[in-house]
Amino acid sequence: MAIFRNGNGLAWARRRALVWALLALVLCAAMNIYHYSLQGARGLYLWDKTWLFRILILMGLLPLGLLALSLPLEKFKARIPSKLLRGFSLVASFLVGLTSIGILAFLIATPRIGTLRAPNLQLIDPSKGFMVTQDTEGLLLRLSVSSDPHWGAEKTDSNARTNILASVAEQRPDAFFILGDIVETGSSVSQWNTAIADFETIVPNIPLRLLMGNHDALFGGQLLYKKAFFPEEFSSDSGSPYYYSIETQGATLVVLNLPWGTENFDRKQRTWLEEVLRTADPLKPIIAFSHSFFYASGYDDPDLDKPWYDHYQNIPALTPLFERYGVDLVVSGHNHYMESLESNGVRYAVIGAMGGKSDPVPAYISPASKWMAVATFGHLNIDITQTDIVMEFKDQLGKTLREERFRYAPSLESGSDGSSPQA
Ligand SMILES: [Fe+2]
C-alpha cells in the first residue's frame, strides 16, 4: 500500500514539474516570437550581445532539461538527487516564466506609456512626394542628408546636432532626409518628444523624411516611429511605412528598410525594389537611402566581435541590383563617419555624422573608399542638375569639406570625376 502511494506521489510530482516546465517553455516562446516579430529585432539577435539573446531563447528549455535529467535517477534507491533536480526544475520554471512575462510586458507596455508629441512639421508623405522649389539656374533638386543624431544618448554632441539642423535650414533644400538612429532607444517616448521639439524649433518648414534605424526600432520603437513620422493618412507604393520610392523632379528616390542589415529584406521588399529599379525613369538618376551601410571603412567591435565595415549581408544581397539597374548613388548611416566610396560604377556615401558619438579611427579601410572624415559632424548636400550629381560633404557649420561631381545622364559621355577636397 505504501509502495502504491509512493508510486502515485512520484507520478504526481513528475506531472506537476512537467506542466510547469511546459508552461515556462510556452511563455518563453511567446516572448521570443513577439520580440522577433518586431522591426530590427532579428538584427539585434545577430549583431548585438548575441550570448544574452541566445540565453533568452534557450532558457525556455532549462526546466524541461532538468526534469529529463531527474528521470533516470528515479530508479536509484536514494531519491534525493532526483527530488532535487525536480525541485530545481520547478524553480527554473518559475524564474523562466516570470522573466518571460516581465520581458513581454516590457516590450508591449514601454512604447505605449506616455504621450507622444504630435509633430508640427512638413513631413513628406512618400505617395505624394514634395514640391521642388529650387530657383538657382540649372539646379533641378537639392537634398540634404544626415544620419545618426541619437537624441537621448549620453555621449551625443547636442551642439553639433543643433548646428547641423540650423545649417540645413539655412541652405533650404527641397527635402531633408535623416537616415535613422534618430533616438538612442526607440521605445522611449521622451527621447522622441525631445527630437520632435528640436525639429519644430529649427527646421519647421523643411520637408522632412526620416528613416528607421536599428536604435529607433529597439524594443517596439517602430510603434512610436510610425505614430510620429508615418501617420495613418500617409501611404507608399510598397504598402510599407519602412521602404518606398518617392518620385520627384530630378530624381527617383528609393528608401530601403535595412536597420541592422538584411533582417527585414524579405522577398516582398526585394520584389518591390527590383520592380521600382526596373521601371524607373531612365532620364533621371536613382538615389537610394538606407540606415545600414554597404561599402564602408570601419573597425572590429571588440565587445560584440562584429565587423563594422564592408557589410557582409547588404553587399551580396543588394549591390548586384544597384549595379544591374544603374543606381547612381546610395547614401547610408549606421557607421558614425563621413565617407565617399565607389564600387562597380555605383557611388556610395556614409553620413552617420549628425551628433551621435563618433566611431573610432578605422582599422579597416574599404577598397571602395575615396575619402573619409573621422570625428567630424555634418551633413551631405546632393544637388541634381540636368546632367550631374554634385555631392557636398559639409561640416556642422556648413563649410564644405569635400565636393564631388559626377555625371548620371545616360545620353552623355560619362566618367568625369570632379572631386575636390576643400579642407
Ligand atoms: Fe547610430
Side-chain angles (χ1 to χ4, degrees):
M1 198 61 188
I3 290 170
F4 179 72
R5 264 204 311 270
N6 280 348
N8 263 356
L10 180 63
W12 183 83
R14 207 190 282 151
R15 209 176 303 136
R16 182 183 61 174
L18 181 65
V19 168
W20 280 105
L22 288 174
L23 184 65
L25 181 66
V26 168
L27 288 169
C28 182
M31 177 271 290
N32 278 293
I33 289 169
Y34 179 74
H35 191 201
Y36 210 67
S37 73
L38 297 173
Q39 289 286 319
R42 268 173 262 175
L44 192 64
Y45 280 58
L46 274 176
W47 283 80
D48 213 290
K49 294 185 175 56
T50 45
W51 58 268
L52 178 69
F53 292 104
R54 265 181 218 146
I55 288 174
L56 287 184
I57 292 173
L58 294 176
M59 70 181 185
L61 295 171
L62 181 66
L64 272 181
L66 289 169
L67 189 60
L69 281 178
S70 77
L71 294 178
L73 298 177
E74 286 172 4
K75 289 178 192 151
F76 296 105
K77 252 188 177 173
R79 292 277 165 84
I80 293 174
S82 69
K83 265 186 171 175
L84 265 179
L85 278 173
R86 266 200 311 278
F88 288 150
S89 171
L90 276 172
V91 173
S93 297
F94 178 73
L95 292 176
V96 168
L98 204 67
T99 307
S100 301
I101 291 172
I103 295 174
L104 192 60
F106 168 80
L107 291 172
I108 293 172
T110 318
R112 291 171 173 86
I113 294 170
T115 307
L116 185 72
R117 198 181 167 109
N120 189 11
L121 296 165
Q122 303 288 320
L123 292 175
I124 296 168
D125 177 346
S127 62
K128 295 191 177 132
F130 51 89
M131 287 283 292
V132 174
T133 55
Q134 292 305 320
D135 51 11
T136 311
E137 203 180 330
L139 184 58
L140 297 179
L141 174 70
R142 166 170 288 175
L143 305 172
S144 290
V145 192
S146 198
S147 186
D148 298 72
H150 287 264
W151 265 272
E154 231 174 73
K155 292 183 177 163
T156 291
D157 189 329
S158 56
N159 283 335
R161 199 171 54 204
T162 304
N163 285 340
I164 291 163
L165 286 174
S167 168
V168 168
E170 201 180 319
Q171 288 163 54
R172 300 203 60 78
D174 296 301
F176 181 27
F177 284 79
I178 305 181
L179 309 182
D181 283 4
I182 316 297
V183 294
E184 178 70 3
T185 311
S187 59
S188 163
V189 175
S190 66
Q191 291 182 8
W192 287 109
N193 281 345
T194 316
I196 292 167
D198 281 359
F199 291 141
E200 286 176 341
T201 308
I202 314 172
V203 286
N205 300 316
I206 304 289
L208 194 61
R209 179 94 306 266
L210 301 100
L211 277 64
M212 189 177 65
N214 55 311
H215 278 262
D216 304 316
L218 282 177
F219 316 127
Q222 66 189 67
L223 207 87
L224 297 169
Y225 166 81
K226 273 197 294 185
K227 215 170 170 183
F229 303 118
F230 207 97
E232 274 174 16
E233 62 271 23
F234 281 19
S235 57
S236 74
D237 60 345
S238 69
S240 166
Y242 310 115
Y243 62 90
Y244 38 79
S245 67
I246 301 176
E247 205 51 55
T248 188
Q249 175 187 310
T252 299
L253 307 177
V254 181
V255 168
L256 298 164
N257 183 26
L258 306 167
W260 292 87
T262 52
E263 68 275 4
N264 295 111
F265 191 66
D266 52 12
R267 188 182 290 182
K268 197 171 164 222
Q269 188 177 173
R270 189 191 167 89
T271 307
W272 160 84
L273 176 62
E274 279 216 67
E275 184 62 12
V276 167
L277 297 181
R278 195 178 58 76
T279 56
D281 183 342
L283 297 176
K284 289 183 191 173
I286 303 173
I287 301 175
F289 297 121
S290 65
H291 179 65
S292 64
F293 51 80
F294 293 84
Y295 295 97
S297 301
Y299 60 102
D300 281 298
D301 190 315
D303 297 328
L304 307 178
D305 194 27
K306 290 289 183 303
W308 294 92
Y309 47 77
D310 288 350
H311 201 294
Y312 75 94
Q313 294 174 316
N314 290 353
I315 290 175
L318 286 106
T319 60
L321 295 179
F322 297 157
E323 292 162 17
R324 189 182 316 149
Y325 293 107
V327 172
D328 296 275
L329 173 64
V330 183
V331 189
S332 313
H334 203 38
N335 264 6
H336 294 188
Y337 302 116
M338 292 187 189
E339 189 166 19
S340 168
L341 310 102
E342 184 174 3
S343 177
N344 293 334
V346 182
R347 308 278 180 143
Y348 297 85
V350 175
I351 190 72
M354 204 178 154
K357 182 177 173 273
S358 296
D359 281 335
V361 173
Y364 169 92
I365 302 296
S366 169
S369 183
K370 298 167 77 174
W371 171 85
M372 81 180 296
V374 181
T376 308
F377 298 115
H379 77 276
L380 172 69
N381 271 359
I382 304 170
D383 285 353
I384 315 289
T385 72
Q386 292 284 357
T387 54
D388 292 356
I389 295 176
V390 184
M391 293 200 294
E392 276 189 295
F393 288 87
K394 303 274 193 184
D395 75 3
Q396 59 178 291
L397 298 174
K399 183 183 157 202
T400 302
L401 301 171
R402 161 92 170 177
E403 185 180 309
E404 289 185 31
R405 173 184 284 266
F406 54 95
R407 288 210 162 153
Y408 67 83
S411 57
L412 297 169
E413 285 282 307
S414 61
S416 76
D417 183 342
S419 56
S420 65
Q422 300 199 357

